[in-house]
Short mmCIF file of all heavy atoms in Angstrom, two decimals:
data_model
loop_
_atom_site.label_atom_id
_atom_site.label_comp_id
_atom_site.label_asym_id
_atom_site.label_seq_id
_atom_site.Cartn_x
_atom_site.Cartn_y
_atom_site.Cartn_z
N ARG H 90 24.70 48.17 -43.90
CA ARG H 90 24.07 48.34 -45.22
C ARG H 90 23.63 46.99 -45.78
O ARG H 90 22.49 46.82 -46.22
CB ARG H 90 25.05 49.01 -46.18
CG ARG H 90 24.53 49.10 -47.61
CD ARG H 90 25.59 49.62 -48.56
NE ARG H 90 26.80 48.82 -48.56
CZ ARG H 90 26.93 47.65 -49.19
NH1 ARG H 90 25.91 47.13 -49.88
NH2 ARG H 90 28.07 46.98 -49.14
N VAL H 91 24.54 46.01 -45.75
CA VAL H 91 24.20 44.68 -46.26
C VAL H 91 23.09 44.06 -45.43
O VAL H 91 22.15 43.45 -45.95
CB VAL H 91 25.45 43.77 -46.28
CG1 VAL H 91 25.07 42.34 -46.65
CG2 VAL H 91 26.48 44.31 -47.27
N GLY H 92 23.18 44.23 -44.10
CA GLY H 92 22.15 43.68 -43.23
C GLY H 92 20.78 44.27 -43.51
O GLY H 92 19.78 43.54 -43.56
N HIS H 93 20.73 45.58 -43.70
CA HIS H 93 19.45 46.23 -43.98
C HIS H 93 18.87 45.77 -45.30
O HIS H 93 17.65 45.58 -45.43
CB HIS H 93 19.62 47.75 -43.98
CG HIS H 93 18.35 48.49 -44.23
ND1 HIS H 93 17.32 48.55 -43.32
CD2 HIS H 93 17.92 49.19 -45.33
CE1 HIS H 93 16.32 49.25 -43.82
NE2 HIS H 93 16.65 49.65 -45.03
N GLU H 94 19.73 45.53 -46.29
CA GLU H 94 19.25 45.06 -47.58
C GLU H 94 18.68 43.65 -47.48
O GLU H 94 17.66 43.34 -48.10
CB GLU H 94 20.40 45.08 -48.59
CG GLU H 94 20.85 46.48 -49.00
CD GLU H 94 22.10 46.46 -49.84
OE1 GLU H 94 22.69 45.36 -50.03
OE2 GLU H 94 22.52 47.54 -50.31
N ARG H 95 19.32 42.80 -46.69
CA ARG H 95 18.91 41.39 -46.61
C ARG H 95 17.80 41.17 -45.58
O ARG H 95 17.00 40.25 -45.72
CB ARG H 95 20.13 40.53 -46.26
CG ARG H 95 21.19 40.51 -47.34
CD ARG H 95 22.40 39.69 -46.92
NE ARG H 95 23.43 39.71 -47.95
CZ ARG H 95 24.64 39.20 -47.79
NH1 ARG H 95 24.98 38.61 -46.65
NH2 ARG H 95 25.53 39.27 -48.77
N ARG H 96 17.79 41.99 -44.54
CA ARG H 96 16.84 41.77 -43.43
C ARG H 96 16.21 43.11 -43.04
O ARG H 96 16.45 43.63 -41.95
CB ARG H 96 17.58 41.15 -42.25
CG ARG H 96 18.24 39.81 -42.61
CD ARG H 96 19.08 39.23 -41.49
NE ARG H 96 19.63 37.96 -41.92
CZ ARG H 96 20.84 37.80 -42.45
NH1 ARG H 96 21.63 38.85 -42.61
NH2 ARG H 96 21.25 36.61 -42.82
N PRO H 97 15.39 43.67 -43.91
CA PRO H 97 14.82 45.01 -43.68
C PRO H 97 13.90 45.08 -42.46
O PRO H 97 13.61 46.18 -41.98
CB PRO H 97 14.07 45.31 -44.98
CG PRO H 97 13.80 43.98 -45.59
CD PRO H 97 14.97 43.12 -45.22
N ALA H 98 13.43 43.94 -41.97
CA ALA H 98 12.54 43.97 -40.80
C ALA H 98 13.28 44.26 -39.50
O ALA H 98 12.66 44.64 -38.50
CB ALA H 98 11.80 42.64 -40.69
N LEU H 99 14.61 44.08 -39.51
CA LEU H 99 15.40 44.34 -38.30
C LEU H 99 15.74 45.82 -38.19
O LEU H 99 15.97 46.49 -39.20
CB LEU H 99 16.69 43.51 -38.31
CG LEU H 99 16.53 41.99 -38.23
CD1 LEU H 99 17.89 41.32 -38.34
CD2 LEU H 99 15.83 41.58 -36.95
N SER H 100 15.79 46.31 -36.96
CA SER H 100 16.10 47.73 -36.71
C SER H 100 17.58 47.89 -36.39
O SER H 100 18.00 47.90 -35.22
CB SER H 100 15.24 48.25 -35.55
OG SER H 100 13.87 48.14 -35.87
N PHE H 101 18.40 48.01 -37.43
CA PHE H 101 19.85 48.12 -37.27
C PHE H 101 20.23 49.49 -36.70
O PHE H 101 19.62 50.51 -37.04
CB PHE H 101 20.55 47.91 -38.61
CG PHE H 101 20.50 46.49 -39.10
CD1 PHE H 101 19.48 46.07 -39.94
CD2 PHE H 101 21.47 45.58 -38.75
CE1 PHE H 101 19.42 44.75 -40.40
CE2 PHE H 101 21.44 44.27 -39.20
CZ PHE H 101 20.41 43.85 -40.03
N VAL H 102 21.26 49.49 -35.85
CA VAL H 102 21.76 50.73 -35.25
C VAL H 102 23.28 50.77 -35.39
O VAL H 102 23.97 49.77 -35.12
CB VAL H 102 21.38 50.81 -33.75
CG1 VAL H 102 22.06 51.99 -33.08
CG2 VAL H 102 19.87 50.90 -33.59
N ALA H 103 23.82 51.90 -35.81
CA ALA H 103 25.26 52.09 -35.83
C ALA H 103 25.72 52.46 -34.43
O ALA H 103 25.16 53.37 -33.81
CB ALA H 103 25.63 53.21 -36.82
N GLY H 104 26.72 51.73 -33.93
CA GLY H 104 27.14 52.00 -32.56
C GLY H 104 28.54 51.50 -32.28
O GLY H 104 28.98 50.48 -32.82
N ASP H 105 29.24 52.24 -31.42
CA ASP H 105 30.59 51.93 -30.98
C ASP H 105 30.49 51.20 -29.64
O ASP H 105 29.83 51.68 -28.71
CB ASP H 105 31.36 53.23 -30.82
CG ASP H 105 32.82 53.05 -30.42
OD1 ASP H 105 33.19 51.96 -29.94
OD2 ASP H 105 33.59 54.01 -30.57
N ALA H 106 31.14 50.05 -29.51
CA ALA H 106 31.07 49.26 -28.28
C ALA H 106 31.58 50.01 -27.07
O ALA H 106 31.21 49.69 -25.93
CB ALA H 106 31.88 47.97 -28.45
N LEU H 107 32.41 51.03 -27.29
CA LEU H 107 32.97 51.79 -26.17
C LEU H 107 32.16 53.03 -25.83
O LEU H 107 32.46 53.73 -24.87
CB LEU H 107 34.42 52.17 -26.47
CG LEU H 107 35.37 50.99 -26.62
CD1 LEU H 107 36.76 51.46 -27.02
CD2 LEU H 107 35.44 50.18 -25.33
N ALA H 108 31.14 53.30 -26.62
CA ALA H 108 30.25 54.45 -26.36
C ALA H 108 28.88 54.13 -26.95
O ALA H 108 28.45 54.74 -27.93
CB ALA H 108 30.82 55.72 -26.95
N LEU H 109 28.19 53.18 -26.35
CA LEU H 109 26.93 52.72 -26.90
C LEU H 109 25.88 53.83 -26.88
O LEU H 109 25.76 54.55 -25.89
CB LEU H 109 26.43 51.51 -26.11
CG LEU H 109 27.28 50.25 -26.26
CD1 LEU H 109 26.83 49.18 -25.26
CD2 LEU H 109 27.20 49.70 -27.68
N PRO H 110 25.08 53.94 -27.94
CA PRO H 110 24.09 55.02 -28.03
C PRO H 110 22.77 54.67 -27.34
O PRO H 110 21.69 54.88 -27.90
CB PRO H 110 23.90 55.16 -29.55
CG PRO H 110 24.09 53.77 -30.06
CD PRO H 110 25.17 53.16 -29.19
N PHE H 111 22.87 54.14 -26.12
CA PHE H 111 21.69 53.72 -25.38
C PHE H 111 21.77 54.22 -23.94
O PHE H 111 22.87 54.42 -23.40
CB PHE H 111 21.56 52.20 -25.38
CG PHE H 111 21.62 51.57 -26.75
CD1 PHE H 111 22.69 50.79 -27.13
CD2 PHE H 111 20.60 51.79 -27.67
CE1 PHE H 111 22.76 50.22 -28.39
CE2 PHE H 111 20.66 51.23 -28.94
CZ PHE H 111 21.74 50.45 -29.30
N ALA H 112 20.61 54.40 -23.32
CA ALA H 112 20.55 54.84 -21.93
C ALA H 112 20.93 53.70 -20.98
O ALA H 112 21.07 52.54 -21.40
CB ALA H 112 19.14 55.34 -21.60
N ASP H 113 21.10 54.01 -19.72
CA ASP H 113 21.41 53.00 -18.71
C ASP H 113 20.23 52.05 -18.52
O ASP H 113 19.06 52.44 -18.65
CB ASP H 113 21.71 53.67 -17.36
CG ASP H 113 22.94 54.57 -17.40
OD1 ASP H 113 23.64 54.57 -18.43
OD2 ASP H 113 23.18 55.26 -16.40
N ASP H 114 20.55 50.79 -18.18
CA ASP H 114 19.55 49.82 -17.73
C ASP H 114 18.41 49.61 -18.73
O ASP H 114 17.26 49.43 -18.34
CB ASP H 114 18.96 50.25 -16.38
CG ASP H 114 20.02 50.50 -15.32
OD1 ASP H 114 21.10 49.90 -15.41
OD2 ASP H 114 19.75 51.30 -14.40
N VAL H 115 18.74 49.59 -20.02
CA VAL H 115 17.70 49.48 -21.06
C VAL H 115 17.39 48.04 -21.43
O VAL H 115 16.23 47.70 -21.69
CB VAL H 115 18.15 50.26 -22.32
CG1 VAL H 115 17.20 49.99 -23.48
CG2 VAL H 115 18.22 51.74 -22.04
N PHE H 116 18.39 47.17 -21.45
CA PHE H 116 18.23 45.84 -22.04
C PHE H 116 18.11 44.74 -20.98
O PHE H 116 18.76 44.78 -19.95
CB PHE H 116 19.41 45.53 -22.97
CG PHE H 116 19.48 46.44 -24.17
CD1 PHE H 116 20.36 47.51 -24.21
CD2 PHE H 116 18.63 46.22 -25.25
CE1 PHE H 116 20.41 48.35 -25.31
CE2 PHE H 116 18.68 47.06 -26.36
CZ PHE H 116 19.56 48.12 -26.40
N ASP H 117 17.29 43.75 -21.32
CA ASP H 117 17.17 42.56 -20.47
C ASP H 117 18.34 41.61 -20.69
O ASP H 117 18.71 40.84 -19.79
CB ASP H 117 15.86 41.83 -20.80
CG ASP H 117 14.64 42.68 -20.51
OD1 ASP H 117 14.42 43.01 -19.33
OD2 ASP H 117 13.94 43.05 -21.47
N ALA H 118 18.90 41.63 -21.88
CA ALA H 118 20.05 40.79 -22.21
C ALA H 118 20.90 41.49 -23.25
O ALA H 118 20.38 42.22 -24.11
CB ALA H 118 19.59 39.43 -22.73
N VAL H 119 22.20 41.28 -23.16
CA VAL H 119 23.14 41.81 -24.16
C VAL H 119 24.03 40.65 -24.59
O VAL H 119 24.41 39.81 -23.77
CB VAL H 119 23.98 42.98 -23.61
CG1 VAL H 119 23.10 44.17 -23.30
CG2 VAL H 119 24.77 42.58 -22.37
N THR H 120 24.35 40.61 -25.85
CA THR H 120 25.18 39.53 -26.35
C THR H 120 26.12 40.06 -27.43
O THR H 120 25.80 41.02 -28.15
CB THR H 120 24.31 38.39 -26.91
OG1 THR H 120 25.14 37.31 -27.33
CG2 THR H 120 23.44 38.85 -28.06
N ILE H 121 27.27 39.44 -27.52
CA ILE H 121 28.25 39.79 -28.55
C ILE H 121 28.97 38.52 -28.97
O ILE H 121 29.52 37.81 -28.13
CB ILE H 121 29.23 40.88 -28.07
CG1 ILE H 121 30.25 41.23 -29.17
CG2 ILE H 121 29.92 40.50 -26.77
CD1 ILE H 121 31.07 42.49 -28.86
N SER H 122 28.90 38.21 -30.25
CA SER H 122 29.51 36.99 -30.78
C SER H 122 30.63 37.34 -31.75
O SER H 122 30.40 38.02 -32.75
CB SER H 122 28.45 36.14 -31.50
OG SER H 122 27.47 35.69 -30.60
N PHE H 123 31.82 36.88 -31.42
CA PHE H 123 33.00 37.06 -32.27
C PHE H 123 33.26 38.54 -32.58
O PHE H 123 33.73 38.89 -33.66
CB PHE H 123 32.85 36.25 -33.56
CG PHE H 123 32.52 34.81 -33.29
CD1 PHE H 123 31.25 34.31 -33.54
CD2 PHE H 123 33.47 33.97 -32.74
CE1 PHE H 123 30.93 32.99 -33.26
CE2 PHE H 123 33.15 32.64 -32.45
CZ PHE H 123 31.89 32.15 -32.71
N GLY H 124 32.93 39.39 -31.61
CA GLY H 124 33.16 40.82 -31.80
C GLY H 124 33.95 41.45 -30.68
O GLY H 124 34.65 42.44 -30.90
#
């Protein structure tokens, strides 16, 4: 919510790291910082 308010140009997605809402082999890179 805060992110969308401050950075509306970004496409935020709600997601659980143990059940990501994405298909296989979708991303060229994945990153996680302090999470």
Side-chain angles (χ1 to χ4, degrees):
R90 175 187 57 78
V91 173
H93 181 70
E94 290 172 354
R95 294 177 182 173
R96 301 175 178 95
L99 294 177
S100 299
F101 289 92
V102 172
D105 183 343
L107 296 176
L109 293 171
F111 308 112
D113 297 353
D114 306 334
V115 171
F116 295 101
D117 298 295
V119 295
T120 183
I121 180 168
S122 296
F123 308 107

